[in-house]
Amino acid sequence: DKGKMADKTFISYEPPFANDPEHYRQLYVDQTKERARRLEDPNRFQPISKREDRSDLPAAGNIWKSKGKYVSLYRGFDVCKCPEDFVLYHQLFWYLKPATVIELGTNTGGMAVWISDTLKLLDISCQVYSMDIDPTLLSPIVKKLKPDNVTFLEGDSHAIEKTFTSEFVGKLPHPWVVIEDAHANMYGVLEHFHLYLKEGDYLVVEDTDPTTAAEVGMGGVNKQAYTTM
């Protein structure tokens, strides 16, 4: 019914006209203030113990989103990321200005190249270290386009201390962004980097939804199920 639609949509919502520059000037001022307020909010960071084990995103939406992320490309190679991932990492890099990024789970190497390109776009000097147990997965395009600030390492998350030795990580400048995207020896990896992370560093654990991976055909090596931690 067009009348009901008008009542619910057009009458109750009165958007500003596009030719009202004063509105958009004020909107920009308000958005800037709100951004600053959120960044300075003392409750912005919450201890893990106070975080709820839930998501505001519906499971079905996450599944459909993930079906798209596994076919996404960047400069011709796989990156396996959703639009939200790109936005969040971009914002994180801009605010943090990391000096070191560590990625566990190189796969084709596409994400490492995207990280490097994004850091350069933001004029951030940073070294990127990406580790995988199988270096043959590296895309030929990635090998050809590999930026100078990206180092690909062969290593096993089950022996993380052999690749990221205390001597090696002790020389890496902070702040760090550590990305766990290999889904192997999670506790061991977190405990290892906990020894070296400093206040202000970020540790990102990807793909924590226990249902999505199986639904989109990415349930893990040899079809192993996710384990609740």
Side-chain angles (χ1 to χ4, degrees), residues 26-41:
Q26 185 59 47
L27 181 64
Y28 175 75
V29 171
D30 294 341
Q31 289 176 333
T32 301
K33 290 180 179 179
E34 177 62 14
R35 184 184 301 112
R37 184 193 68 78
R38 293 189 180 191
L39 289 174
E40 296 170 3
D41 187 341

PDB file of all heavy atoms in Angstrom, residues 26-41:
ATOM      1  N   GLN A  26      27.770  21.390   9.336  1.00  0.00           N
ATOM      2  CA  GLN A  26      27.495  21.051  10.729  1.00  0.00           C
ATOM      3  C   GLN A  26      27.598  19.552  10.951  1.00  0.00           C
ATOM      4  O   GLN A  26      28.077  19.094  11.997  1.00  0.00           O
ATOM      5  CB  GLN A  26      26.094  21.536  11.118  1.00  0.00           C
ATOM      6  CG  GLN A  26      25.763  21.339  12.589  1.00  0.00           C
ATOM      7  CD  GLN A  26      26.756  22.061  13.498  1.00  0.00           C
ATOM      8  OE1 GLN A  26      27.071  23.240  13.270  1.00  0.00           O
ATOM      9  NE2 GLN A  26      27.256  21.373  14.513  1.00  0.00           N
ATOM     10  N   LEU A  27      27.159  18.765   9.955  1.00  0.00           N
ATOM     11  CA  LEU A  27      27.261  17.317  10.054  1.00  0.00           C
ATOM     12  C   LEU A  27      28.714  16.888  10.202  1.00  0.00           C
ATOM     13  O   LEU A  27      29.046  16.016  11.007  1.00  0.00           O
ATOM     14  CB  LEU A  27      26.645  16.651   8.824  1.00  0.00           C
ATOM     15  CG  LEU A  27      26.665  15.117   8.792  1.00  0.00           C
ATOM     16  CD1 LEU A  27      25.824  14.545   9.933  1.00  0.00           C
ATOM     17  CD2 LEU A  27      26.162  14.612   7.445  1.00  0.00           C
ATOM     18  N   TYR A  28      29.591  17.508   9.439  1.00  0.00           N
ATOM     19  CA  TYR A  28      31.022  17.190   9.521  1.00  0.00           C
ATOM     20  C   TYR A  28      31.569  17.539  10.900  1.00  0.00           C
ATOM     21  O   TYR A  28      32.337  16.775  11.492  1.00  0.00           O
ATOM     22  CB  TYR A  28      31.788  17.954   8.454  1.00  0.00           C
ATOM     23  CG  TYR A  28      33.280  17.781   8.545  1.00  0.00           C
ATOM     24  CD1 TYR A  28      33.896  16.603   8.130  1.00  0.00           C
ATOM     25  CD2 TYR A  28      34.093  18.784   9.080  1.00  0.00           C
ATOM     26  CE1 TYR A  28      35.253  16.423   8.227  1.00  0.00           C
ATOM     27  CE2 TYR A  28      35.458  18.615   9.186  1.00  0.00           C
ATOM     28  CZ  TYR A  28      36.030  17.433   8.754  1.00  0.00           C
ATOM     29  OH  TYR A  28      37.381  17.268   8.869  1.00  0.00           O
ATOM     30  N   VAL A  29      31.167  18.684  11.437  1.00  0.00           N
ATOM     31  CA  VAL A  29      31.609  19.089  12.776  1.00  0.00           C
ATOM     32  C   VAL A  29      31.131  18.082  13.816  1.00  0.00           C
ATOM     33  O   VAL A  29      31.897  17.650  14.688  1.00  0.00           O
ATOM     34  CB  VAL A  29      31.084  20.496  13.120  1.00  0.00           C
ATOM     35  CG1 VAL A  29      31.365  20.824  14.590  1.00  0.00           C
ATOM     36  CG2 VAL A  29      31.728  21.541  12.215  1.00  0.00           C
ATOM     37  N   ASP A  30      29.868  17.679  13.714  1.00  0.00           N
ATOM     38  CA  ASP A  30      29.309  16.720  14.678  1.00  0.00           C
ATOM     39  C   ASP A  30      30.005  15.366  14.583  1.00  0.00           C
ATOM     40  O   ASP A  30      30.292  14.727  15.605  1.00  0.00           O
ATOM     41  CB  ASP A  30      27.811  16.549  14.438  1.00  0.00           C
ATOM     42  CG  ASP A  30      27.028  17.820  14.740  1.00  0.00           C
ATOM     43  OD1 ASP A  30      27.567  18.686  15.458  1.00  0.00           O
ATOM     44  OD2 ASP A  30      25.893  17.952  14.243  1.00  0.00           O
ATOM     45  N   GLN A  31      30.269  14.911  13.363  1.00  0.00           N
ATOM     46  CA  GLN A  31      30.935  13.620  13.182  1.00  0.00           C
ATOM     47  C   GLN A  31      32.355  13.649  13.733  1.00  0.00           C
ATOM     48  O   GLN A  31      32.824  12.672  14.321  1.00  0.00           O
ATOM     49  CB  GLN A  31      30.957  13.248  11.697  1.00  0.00           C
ATOM     50  CG  GLN A  31      29.599  12.868  11.142  1.00  0.00           C
ATOM     51  CD  GLN A  31      29.634  12.611   9.651  1.00  0.00           C
ATOM     52  OE1 GLN A  31      30.476  13.150   8.939  1.00  0.00           O
ATOM     53  NE2 GLN A  31      28.716  11.776   9.171  1.00  0.00           N
ATOM     54  N   THR A  32      33.032  14.752  13.540  1.00  0.00           N
ATOM     55  CA  THR A  32      34.400  14.883  14.052  1.00  0.00           C
ATOM     56  C   THR A  32      34.415  14.834  15.572  1.00  0.00           C
ATOM     57  O   THR A  32      35.265  14.177  16.180  1.00  0.00           O
ATOM     58  CB  THR A  32      35.027  16.206  13.569  1.00  0.00           C
ATOM     59  OG1 THR A  32      35.038  16.229  12.134  1.00  0.00           O
ATOM     60  CG2 THR A  32      36.452  16.346  14.081  1.00  0.00           C
ATOM     61  N   LYS A  33      33.452  15.517  16.200  1.00  0.00           N
ATOM     62  CA  LYS A  33      33.353  15.507  17.654  1.00  0.00           C
ATOM     63  C   LYS A  33      33.033  14.102  18.170  1.00  0.00           C
ATOM     64  O   LYS A  33      33.595  13.649  19.172  1.00  0.00           O
ATOM     65  CB  LYS A  33      32.285  16.494  18.120  1.00  0.00           C
ATOM     66  CG  LYS A  33      32.659  17.964  17.937  1.00  0.00           C
ATOM     67  CD  LYS A  33      31.541  18.866  18.423  1.00  0.00           C
ATOM     68  CE  LYS A  33      31.901  20.332  18.262  1.00  0.00           C
ATOM     69  NZ  LYS A  33      30.790  21.218  18.727  1.00  0.00           N
ATOM     70  N   GLU A  34      32.111  13.413  17.489  1.00  0.00           N
ATOM     71  CA  GLU A  34      31.721  12.075  17.921  1.00  0.00           C
ATOM     72  C   GLU A  34      32.883  11.099  17.778  1.00  0.00           C
ATOM     73  O   GLU A  34      33.098  10.238  18.635  1.00  0.00           O
ATOM     74  CB  GLU A  34      30.532  11.587  17.091  1.00  0.00           C
ATOM     75  CG  GLU A  34      30.072  10.166  17.404  1.00  0.00           C
ATOM     76  CD  GLU A  34      29.585   9.994  18.830  1.00  0.00           C
ATOM     77  OE1 GLU A  34      29.346  11.008  19.515  1.00  0.00           O
ATOM     78  OE2 GLU A  34      29.433   8.825  19.269  1.00  0.00           O
ATOM     79  N   ARG A  35      33.651  11.224  16.708  1.00  0.00           N
ATOM     80  CA  ARG A  35      34.822  10.364  16.518  1.00  0.00           C
ATOM     81  C   ARG A  35      35.831  10.572  17.639  1.00  0.00           C
ATOM     82  O   ARG A  35      36.364   9.603  18.206  1.00  0.00           O
ATOM     83  CB  ARG A  35      35.464  10.650  15.168  1.00  0.00           C
ATOM     84  CG  ARG A  35      36.643   9.728  14.838  1.00  0.00           C
ATOM     85  CD  ARG A  35      37.303  10.118  13.521  1.00  0.00           C
ATOM     86  NE  ARG A  35      36.366  10.071  12.418  1.00  0.00           N
ATOM     87  CZ  ARG A  35      35.928  11.151  11.756  1.00  0.00           C
ATOM     88  NH1 ARG A  35      36.349  12.363  12.109  1.00  0.00           N
ATOM     89  NH2 ARG A  35      35.097  11.024  10.753  1.00  0.00           N
ATOM     90  N   ALA A  36      36.092  11.829  17.965  1.00  0.00           N
ATOM     91  CA  ALA A  36      37.042  12.131  19.035  1.00  0.00           C
ATOM     92  C   ALA A  36      36.532  11.607  20.371  1.00  0.00           C
ATOM     93  O   ALA A  36      37.301  11.081  21.180  1.00  0.00           O
ATOM     94  CB  ALA A  36      37.277  13.638  19.103  1.00  0.00           C
ATOM     95  N   ARG A  37      35.227  11.735  20.602  1.00  0.00           N
ATOM     96  CA  ARG A  37      34.654  11.260  21.861  1.00  0.00           C
ATOM     97  C   ARG A  37      34.833   9.756  22.008  1.00  0.00           C
ATOM     98  O   ARG A  37      35.202   9.261  23.079  1.00  0.00           O
ATOM     99  CB  ARG A  37      33.158  11.603  21.928  1.00  0.00           C
ATOM    100  CG  ARG A  37      32.500  11.243  23.250  1.00  0.00           C
ATOM    101  CD  ARG A  37      30.990  11.301  23.169  1.00  0.00           C
ATOM    102  NE  ARG A  37      30.440  10.258  22.306  1.00  0.00           N
ATOM    103  CZ  ARG A  37      30.310   8.988  22.680  1.00  0.00           C
ATOM    104  NH1 ARG A  37      30.683   8.603  23.891  1.00  0.00           N
ATOM    105  NH2 ARG A  37      29.806   8.101  21.847  1.00  0.00           N
ATOM    106  N   ARG A  38      34.597   9.027  20.930  1.00  0.00           N
ATOM    107  CA  ARG A  38      34.721   7.576  20.998  1.00  0.00           C
ATOM    108  C   ARG A  38      36.169   7.142  21.193  1.00  0.00           C
ATOM    109  O   ARG A  38      36.447   6.193  21.930  1.00  0.00           O
ATOM    110  CB  ARG A  38      34.154   6.950  19.721  1.00  0.00           C
ATOM    111  CG  ARG A  38      32.654   7.126  19.571  1.00  0.00           C
ATOM    112  CD  ARG A  38      32.110   6.311  18.428  1.00  0.00           C
ATOM    113  NE  ARG A  38      30.679   6.476  18.281  1.00  0.00           N
ATOM    114  CZ  ARG A  38      29.917   5.720  17.501  1.00  0.00           C
ATOM    115  NH1 ARG A  38      30.482   4.737  16.794  1.00  0.00           N
ATOM    116  NH2 ARG A  38      28.627   5.929  17.413  1.00  0.00           N
ATOM    117  N   LEU A  39      37.087   7.823  20.542  1.00  0.00           N
ATOM    118  CA  LEU A  39      38.492   7.452  20.669  1.00  0.00           C
ATOM    119  C   LEU A  39      39.034   7.751  22.062  1.00  0.00           C
ATOM    120  O   LEU A  39      39.949   7.083  22.537  1.00  0.00           O
ATOM    121  CB  LEU A  39      39.329   8.191  19.619  1.00  0.00           C
ATOM    122  CG  LEU A  39      39.134   7.742  18.165  1.00  0.00           C
ATOM    123  CD1 LEU A  39      39.915   8.655  17.222  1.00  0.00           C
ATOM    124  CD2 LEU A  39      39.572   6.300  17.980  1.00  0.00           C
ATOM    125  N   GLU A  40      38.452   8.776  22.722  1.00  0.00           N
ATOM    126  CA  GLU A  40      38.920   9.167  24.047  1.00  0.00           C
ATOM    127  C   GLU A  40      38.106   8.536  25.169  1.00  0.00           C
ATOM    128  O   GLU A  40      38.394   8.749  26.351  1.00  0.00           O
ATOM    129  CB  GLU A  40      38.862  10.699  24.170  1.00  0.00           C
ATOM    130  CG  GLU A  40      39.808  11.405  23.200  1.00  0.00           C
ATOM    131  CD  GLU A  40      39.578  12.904  23.154  1.00  0.00           C
ATOM    132  OE1 GLU A  40      38.704  13.389  23.929  1.00  0.00           O
ATOM    133  OE2 GLU A  40      40.238  13.586  22.359  1.00  0.00           O
ATOM    134  N   ASP A  41      37.114   7.744  24.826  1.00  0.00           N
ATOM    135  CA  ASP A  41      36.257   7.112  25.822  1.00  0.00           C
ATOM    136  C   ASP A  41      37.097   6.169  26.692  1.00  0.00           C
ATOM    137  O   ASP A  41      37.760   5.262  26.179  1.00  0.00           O
ATOM    138  CB  ASP A  41      35.159   6.311  25.120  1.00  0.00           C
ATOM    139  CG  ASP A  41      34.118   5.761  26.091  1.00  0.00           C
ATOM    140  OD1 ASP A  41      34.417   5.673  27.300  1.00  0.00           O
ATOM    141  OD2 ASP A  41      33.019   5.412  25.638  1.00  0.00           O
TER     142      ASP A  41
END
